[in-house]
Structure formats: structure tokens, C-alpha cells
């Protein structure tokens, strides 16, 4: 972008101090913006463009790449592991947003409307998991799920349920469901804060009128609060869906897709295809990446349309 | 608003809110508690309190996971990226919001493009690029990757802040013969401190909590940051069954972010609502 900044023409009429000022400004802009902007072009935009090209290669990163046109994509649509992984994504994309958003709305309403003296403290506590590292969250939940020493089985034992040290992440039936709590635990507090702010912008006069009419809390929540924060709820839901679609760090740390691939999500499948211990198939991994890219960009465009409409409503 | 009469239903609401808070705090406290037991006590009964507080576990975790050098690596990576990245972000925000020049709209446009990039498809080409530049398996390489770039969220946050500053001070400084850089460091930076603090807090949390980047790029254990070190500690623990030491390690790993949260929770909650749904 150097030439754009540098080509500012000095108008002939201006005195020389002014044109000197212009030169100085140009140099400053180049030096100030240059490093980070070039870094952005090099480390963000360029790899994104390159990934489209890589997806047409058969390449392990060491030998010479072979150009195979759309073979990777053809293989992708026949690859049963891709579909299995997408199925797991689908389960999480339906459950995680619902189980995050509903408690968040409920807790935000309670925190906002019921001024209990402990409420401010709760707001701080609910948000706490959002500042924790993903490694801390993932390891903590691995400990909770452990068979003989885990917290979950210990709690069940307190209630007289003895499940023979069942290892929650070790069974194909339970492992994918066991991923829900860490994903939800890490996210609810964030949306509590988001929804609390949204609820604060609702004019109190609306509630006052409803209270005069004798509306209960439930009615007010259903008839006033939720409709008015609905745009933000919708956007939040879509962001959660997209986040779950491309996220895989929790799975990478807790199960690495196991047992027997029962927690493998599409992002993790792609990651292991590129960086896993056994295979380095950069071409195919890029094709999966491009597939995700297309789905996510379409979804993002959809969100933008929705959210711009929502601003008109407010 | 109505006066909140306390009724029986309030007891239920308060109980629910309490249980939610407990579900956040309890597992964390459980880890801290177990980190102070012996392995024998831990295996015998998860609930029992330790006979004697085993602070030795922390020493053992410190030594066996090489937390000293790991935390130095983390400090180098987080500290340098934070200082360099925040400074560069502030410069970018200043140039892009307060200076008029040709091509500015175009540059903004290309930066806004990043909102549409999910990032996941760029992992492989980015890795190859870093490899070709000789920046893999290097903390400095990771710093370069994380510091040189543009973030729409941070630019909007800081840019919005800088736009609200009055123009007059800048202009009088120009008349006094100050250069643009002097205006930036002596007027803009001090006046934007609250915005810069928010950016720095979020950068700190993002960098300290970063897992995937260090996991992909750092292969020598002597270069691990705290997140990657704990990941490998957990892998090894599965064979050694030394739980309490790992608990101590995890506790150490979460202390810095919790301290930051305690001090800056207001900025963090505000910043989250500002940018959370945009980035």
C-alpha cells in the first residue's frame, strides 16, 4: 500500500513548509501503519487466499506438491469421516446454543429485575469462566469426568448412585454429551452480561405499565423483555452456532476425537489431517478448510442481513 | 420499578442463582483443594480435607513441569506481544481514525474483510508460510505472528475512543512545531489511556490463554508456554497417575488470569459487551 500513501500530490500553490508537512505526514503514515498492515496482509489475507490454491493440491508438505484439481473436494463428499464429524457438529450446534442462551436470559433477567444484595457478586462469578484459559477449562472437566477419582462420580455417590467408576469420556455413548457442560460452562456468563446490557436499554415505562395491568414476572419476561431483546438473542444464537461449527480446542484437549471418533468434529478432523501425528495431508486439510470457509461466509452474510434489519427495529 | 416484595418464590430464585454460582466456583475450588492433598488421600476420598496442606505439590509441579522456564517463555511471549501489539494497534487506530489520506477507505475496507474470514481455513497456509520464513518452533516467530496484524475489534474500540478527543489540542501542538509522532505520544496516547487499558487487558487474556497457536508452532518442550506445557503434563499424567501435582500445575496456570479479572472485571465486562458480538 506504499504507493497509495506516497502518491499524495503536493499542490503547486502551497508554500514549501506545507509540502514539507505533507512529506512528513506521508512518512509517518507509512511507518505507523506499515508494519501492522503489512503483517495483516501477509499473515491473514495471504494465507486465506492461498488456502484456495492449496485445496487443489495433493501435498504432504515435504515432497513436491501435485496439482489434482478438484480431487480433494470429490473425496471430501465421499469421506464418511467428514459426514460423521459434521453429524457431531450438528448435535453440538443444536444443543449448545439452546442450553447457553436460555439459562443466560433467565439469569440476566433475575440479575436485572431482582435486586438481591448478592446479585452483583453473582454477575462477577458467572463471567469468571470466560477469562479462564481453554486448557484450564478442558483439563478441569477431564478431571471431573474421571472414572475412579472424578468429581461427577463422587457427587453421584453422595446421592447413593454407584456407577462402577464409569468413565464419562471413555464411552462412545456418553463422550459427545460430556462435551456439552464444558462448552456451556465456559459461555453462559458472557451472554448473561450481554443480555443484562440489552435488558437495561428497555425503557422502564414499559414495565411500569405492565405492572399496573398486574402482569406477573413471567408474563413481563415473555411479553416485554424477550421480544425487545430478540434481535440480540438471535445474533447471539447465530454466533454460538458458528463458534461451535468451527471450534475444536475443547475436543482436541479432552478427547482428541475419541473414543473411536465419537467426539470428532469437523475442525478437529481438519486439524489432525494437517498437524496430526500420523498424517500430513495439507491439500485435503485445506479442502476441508475451504468447505468450512464457504459455509461460514454464507452464514456470516446471513447474520449481517439479519442484524442490519434489527437495527432498523430499534 | 415495583418495590420488590420478598416472597416464597424469591427463595427459589435465589437458590437457583446460588446453585449456578456454585457450579462455577465449586469445581475450581475442588481443584485447589485436591492440589493440597497427597495422592493417597486423593485416591482414598475425594471429599475429605487434607491432613496437612501439601504445598510441596506446588514445588513438585514447579520442578517437574519446568514451570520456571515455562513461565519465563510465557512472560516473553505474552509481554512482548502485548507491548508491541498494543502500541501498533494504537498507532493504526490513530492513523486510520484521525488522519486524512488517500487510500484510507481502501485500507479500512481490506481490514473489514477480516470480519468474514473464519480463520480455520488459513491454519495450514499460515503454518507453511511461517515454516518458509523460518519462524516455526520459535517464541519470537509466534510474537511476530501475533503482534503484526490488524484487529477490527481493537481498532473500533480504540478508534471510537480517539475520535471523541477534541481536535484543538492537536492543532495547537502542530502550530508549536510538534511532529505527528510527538502529537501521538504526548497527546493522543495519554488521552486514550482508558481505551488502551481495555485493549491491553483483552490482548493479555487472549495471549495468555492462547492454546492453538503455541500448540501448532512450538515443538521443543524448552519453548512451551504455560498452556502447551499443561497439555503435555496431562498427557504424561495418564501414565504416572500423579494427580495432585497436576492439580497444583493447573492452579498455578489459572492464577494470572484470575488476578487480572479481580482487578479489571469492570473493564472486562464492558469490553465484552462492546465488541463481543462484532468480533
Amino acid at each position: 500500500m506504499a504507493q497509495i500513501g506516497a502518491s499524495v500530490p503536493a499542490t503547486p500553490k502551497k508554500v514549501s513548509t506545507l509540502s514539507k508537512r505533507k512529506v512528513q505526514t506521508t512518512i509517518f503514515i507509512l511507518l505507523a501503519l506499515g508494519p501492522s498492515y503489512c503483517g495483516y496482509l501477509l499473515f491473514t489475507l495471504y494465507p486465506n487466499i492461498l488456502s484456495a490454491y492449496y485445496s487443489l493440491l495433493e501435498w504432504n508438505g515435504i515432497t513436491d506438491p501435485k496439482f489434482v484439481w478438484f480431487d480433494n473436494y470429490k473425496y471430501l463428499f465421499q469421506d464418511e469421516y467428514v459426514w460423521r464429524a459434521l453429524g457431531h457438529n450438528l448435535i453440538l450446534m443444536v444443543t449448545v446454543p439452546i442450553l447457553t442462551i436460555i439459562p443466560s436470559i433467565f439469569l440476566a433477567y433475575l440479575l436485572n429485575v431482582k435486586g438481591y444484595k448478592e446479585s452483583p457478586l453473582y454477575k462477577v462469578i458467572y463471567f469468571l469462566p470466560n477469562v479462564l484459559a481453554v486448557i484450564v477449562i478442558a483439563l478441569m472437566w477431564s478431571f471431573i469426568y474421571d472414572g475412579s477419582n472424578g468429581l461427577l462420580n463422587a457427587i453421584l455417590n453422595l446421592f447413593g448412585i454407584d456407577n462402577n467408576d464409569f468413565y464419562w469420556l471413555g464411552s462412545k455413548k456418553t463422550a459427545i454429551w460430556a462435551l456439552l457442560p464444558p462448552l456451556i460452562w465456559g459461555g453462559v456468563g458472557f451472554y448473561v452480561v450481554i443480555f443484562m446490557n440489552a435488558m437495561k436499554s428497555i425503557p422502564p415505562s414499559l414495565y411500569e405499565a405492565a405492572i399496573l395491568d398486574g402482569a406477573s414476572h413471567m408474563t413481563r419476561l415473555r411479553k416485554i423483555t424477550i421480544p425487545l431483546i430478540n434481535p440480540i438473542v438471535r445474533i447471539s444464537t447465530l454466533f454460538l452456532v458458528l463458534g461451535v461449527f468451527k471450534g475444536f480446542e475443547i475436543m482436541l484437549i479432552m478427547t482428541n476425537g475419541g473414543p473411536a471418533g465419537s467426539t470428532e468434529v469437523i475442525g478437529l478432523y481438519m486439524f489432525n489431517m494437517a498437524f496430526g501425528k500420523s498424517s500430513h495431508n495439507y491439500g485435503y486439510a485445506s479442502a476441508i478448510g475451504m468447505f468450512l470457509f464457504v459455509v461460514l461466509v454464507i452464514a456470516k452474510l446471513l447474520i449481517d442481513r439479519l442484524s442490519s434489519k434489527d437495527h432498523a427495529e430499534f | 420499578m415495583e418495590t420488590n416484595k420478598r416472597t416464597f418464590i424469591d427463595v427459589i430464585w435465589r437458590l437457583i442463582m446460588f446453585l449456578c454460582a456454585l457450579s462455577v466456583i465449586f469445581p475450581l475450588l475442588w481443584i485447589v483443594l485436591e492440589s493440597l492433598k497427597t495422592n493417597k488421600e486423593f485416591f482414598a476420598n475425594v471429599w475429605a480435607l487434607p491432613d496437612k496442606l501439601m504445598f510441596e505439590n506446588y514445588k513438585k509441579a514447579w520442578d517437574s513441569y519446568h514451570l520456571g522456564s515455562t513461565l519465563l517463555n510465557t512472560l516473553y511471549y505474552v509481554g512482548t506481544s502485548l507491548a508491541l501489539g498494543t502500541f501498533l494497534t494504537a498507532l493504526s487506530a490513530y492513523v486510520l481514525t484521525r488522519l486524512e489520506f488517500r487510500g484510507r477507505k481502501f485500507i479500512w475496507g481490506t481490514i473489514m474483510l477480516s470480519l468474514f474470514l473464519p480463520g480455520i481455513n488459513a491454519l495450514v497456509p499460515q503454518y507453511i508460510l511461517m515454516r518458509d520464513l523460518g519462524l516455526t518452533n520459535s517464541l519470537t516467530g509466534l510474537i511476530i505472528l501475533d503482534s503484526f496484524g490488524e484487529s477490527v475489534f481493537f481498532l473500533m474500540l480504540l478508534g471510537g475512543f480517539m475520535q471523541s478527543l477534541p481536535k484543538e489540542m492537536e492543532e495547537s501542538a502542530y502550530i508549536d512545531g510538534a511532529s505527528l509522532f510527538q502529537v501521538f505520544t504526548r497527546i493522543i496516547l495519554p488521552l486514550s489511556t482508558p481505551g488502551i487499558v481495555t485493549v491491553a487487558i483483552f490482548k493479555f487474556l487472549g495471549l495468555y490463554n492462547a492454546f492453538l497457536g503455541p500448540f501448532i508452532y512450538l515443538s521443543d518442550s524448552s519453548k512451551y508456554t504455560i498452556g502447551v506445557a499443561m497439555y503435555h503434563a496431562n498427557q504424561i499424567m495418564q501414565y504416572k497417575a500423579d494427580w495432585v501435582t497436576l492439580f497444583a500445575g493447573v492452579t498455578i496456570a489459572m492464577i494470572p488470569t484470575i488476578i487480572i479479572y479481580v482487578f479489571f472485571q469492570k473493564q472486562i465486562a464492558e469490553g465484552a459487551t462492546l465488541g463481543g458480538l462484532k468480533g
Side-chain angles (χ1 to χ4, degrees):
Chain A
M1 290 313 100
Q3 67 276 38
I4 291 176
S7 65
V8 181
T11 40
K13 272 184 192 166
K14 297 261 165 83
V15 279
S16 66
T17 47
L18 252 183
S19 68
K20 201 176 146 200
R21 173 110 249 162
K22 281 232 155 176
V23 173
Q24 277 179 349
T25 308
T26 308
I27 292 171
F28 175 78
I29 289 171
L30 282 178
L31 289 178
L33 193 60
S36 44
Y37 188 66
C38 290
Y40 168 71
L41 293 180
L42 182 66
F43 294 122
T44 305
L45 273 194
Y46 176 62
N48 268 289
I49 296 162
L50 216 55
S51 70
Y53 168 66
Y54 279 10
S55 70
L56 307 175
L57 302 178
E58 188 188 311
W59 191 29
N60 62 8
I62 300 159
T63 55
D64 281 341
K66 199 173 120 202
F67 198 79
V68 293
W69 288 103
F70 294 99
D71 283 6
N72 286 324
Y73 291 97
K74 273 183 226 152
Y75 184 71
L76 190 154
F77 287 104
Q78 294 156 11
D79 186 350
E80 58 174 312
Y81 293 122
V82 164
W83 296 107
R84 185 182 66 182
L86 285 173
H88 296 146
N89 277 102
L90 193 65
I91 293 176
L92 298 174
M93 282 156 71
V94 172
T95 49
V96 171
I98 292 175
L99 294 173
T100 306
I101 297 282
I102 292 175
S104 303
I105 294 176
F106 191 67
L107 288 173
Y109 185 80
L110 283 178
L111 285 173
N112 251 5
V113 171
K114 301 274 189 179
Y116 303 125
K117 62 178 182 295
E118 66 271 27
S119 295
L121 177 67
Y122 284 159
K123 186 184 162 190
V124 174
I125 292 176
Y126 295 157
F127 192 82
L128 174 65
N130 289 283
V131 302
L132 295 178
V134 65
I135 185 80
V136 170
I137 295 176
L139 290 186
M140 187 191 92
W141 282 93
S142 307
F143 303 152
I144 289 174
Y145 288 133
D146 188 73
S148 37
N149 310 303
L151 184 62
L152 179 58
N153 284 348
I155 291 173
L156 290 177
N157 284 341
L158 278 190
F159 290 99
I161 303 165
D162 185 6
N163 57 10
N164 282 324
D165 292 348
F166 181 74
Y167 180 42
W168 296 86
L169 293 174
S171 157
K172 277 176 80 170
K173 278 204 197 94
T174 51
I176 182 100
W177 304 107
L179 292 175
L180 290 179
L183 290 168
I184 296 161
W185 189 84
V188 167
F190 176 77
Y191 289 100
V192 169
V193 172
I194 298 273
F195 293 147
M196 276 181 77
N197 266 43
M199 288 175 190
K200 282 205 182 94
S201 66
I202 299 174
S205 54
L206 286 177
Y207 288 111
E208 280 153 19
I211 291 164
L212 283 180
D213 289 344
S216 70
H217 272 298
M218 262 320 189
T219 322
R220 275 177 267 161
L221 182 62
R222 253 197 11 252
K223 294 272 159 82
I224 301 173
T225 313
I226 292 180
L228 281 175
I229 65 163
N230 194 29
I232 291 177
V233 172
R234 272 209 317 248
I235 300 169
S236 303
T237 310
L238 282 166
F239 266 89
L240 269 168
V241 170
L242 296 191
V244 173
F245 184 53
K246 66 176 177 179
F248 60 91
E249 281 180 305
I250 291 269
M251 297 82 177
L252 171 68
I253 300 166
M254 287 180 74
T255 61
N256 199 18
S262 60
T263 56
E264 185 146 82
V265 288
I266 190 72
L268 185 60
Y269 184 62
M270 189 209 89
F271 180 83
N272 280 329
M273 193 57 76
F275 303 109
K277 286 196 177 75
S278 49
S279 65
H280 293 284
N281 195 340
Y282 291 138
Y284 188 45
S286 294
I288 301 172
M290 280 309 290
F291 170 70
L292 294 178
F293 175 83
V294 170
V295 174
L296 286 163
V297 166
I298 291 172
K300 201 94 173 193
L301 287 170
L302 226 65
I303 292 180
D304 275 16
R305 271 193 56 186
L306 280 176
S307 53
S308 61
K309 203 176 78 195
D310 294 334
H311 281 299
E313 278 173 30
F314 251 102
Chain B
M1 282 242 156
E2 103 195 276
T3 48
N4 280 312
K5 282 175 294 176
R6 298 286 183 250
T7 53
F8 174 68
I9 197 84
D10 282 304
V11 178
I12 295 175
W13 296 144
R14 289 174 93 158
L15 189 68
I16 290 173
M17 287 163 81
F18 174 74
L19 288 176
C20 287
L22 193 68
S23 73
V24 171
I25 290 292
F26 186 67
L28 294 169
L29 287 181
W30 176 67
I31 288 186
V32 177
L33 173 73
E34 303 301 331
S35 76
L36 293 167
K37 289 184 180 177
T38 62
N39 271 310
K40 219 171 135 196
E41 283 172 325
F42 171 65
F43 292 137
N45 185 352
V46 168
W47 299 111
L49 292 170
D51 280 341
K52 183 172 146 286
L53 297 179
M54 292 289 293
F55 288 106
E56 292 94 304
N57 291 337
Y58 283 83
K59 175 143 191 1
K60 207 176 156 209
W62 188 271
D63 293 337
S64 56
Y65 305 146
H66 310 288
L67 286 184
S69 61
T70 299
L71 285 172
L72 274 182
N73 291 342
T74 312
L75 184 70
Y76 172 59
Y77 162 61
V78 174
T80 315
S81 310
L82 183 65
L84 189 61
T86 309
F87 181 68
L88 289 174
T89 303
L91 268 174
S92 286
Y94 173 60
V95 170
L96 287 171
T97 54
R98 281 188 87 94
L99 298 181
E100 288 291 336
F101 59 97
R102 270 177 67 187
R104 197 181 68 137
K105 282 231 168 78
F106 174 79
I107 289 179
W108 253 123
T110 53
I111 294 172
M112 293 300 274
L113 260 184
S114 67
L115 287 180
F116 287 93
L117 304 176
I120 187 165
N121 59 310
L123 281 180
V124 173
Q126 202 178 53
Y127 176 79
I128 305 284
L129 174 71
M130 291 285 281
R131 199 184 67 179
D132 292 347
L133 294 172
L135 294 176
T136 46
N137 197 20
S138 146
L139 284 161
T140 309
L142 212 52
I143 290 170
I144 292 173
L145 178 66
D146 284 343
S147 306
F148 293 91
E150 307 280 9
S151 146
V152 176
F153 167 46
F154 291 139
L155 285 180
M156 295 239 248
L157 203 155
L158 260 185
F161 207 91
M162 287 175 178
Q163 263 171 340
S164 64
L165 304 175
K167 275 262 182 212
E168 288 80 16
M169 297 180 75
E170 257 175 298
E171 271 151 19
S172 65
Y174 288 140
I175 291 163
D176 291 346
S179 73
L180 272 171
F181 188 72
Q182 283 168 329
V183 168
F184 173 71
T185 50
R186 297 201 190 141
I187 297 174
I188 302 292
L189 273 188
L191 288 176
S192 330
T193 308
I196 289 172
V197 168
T198 308
V199 168
I201 293 165
F202 276 88
K203 277 198 192 257
F204 172 83
L205 290 175
L207 289 162
Y208 184 85
N209 293 345
F211 176 73
L212 206 56
F215 185 67
I216 292 175
Y217 287 110
L218 304 173
S219 34
D220 284 354
S221 60
S222 64
K223 288 173 182 155
Y224 286 166
T225 58
I226 184 85
V228 187
M230 291 323 297
Y231 173 83
H232 288 283
N234 179 51
Q235 302 281 311
I236 293 165
M237 198 279 291
Q238 303 190 337
Y239 306 102
K240 279 166 89 181
D242 187 0
W243 284 74
V244 292
T245 309
L246 188 61
F247 282 133
V250 170
T251 307
I252 294 173
M254 65 187 173
I255 287 172
T257 42
I258 291 190
I259 290 175
I260 292 288
Y261 183 53
V262 168
F263 280 108
F264 296 108
Q265 35 120 339
K266 211 170 144 233
Q267 281 97 329
I268 291 174
E270 275 169 12
T273 36
L274 264 176
L277 294 179
K278 291 204 177 79

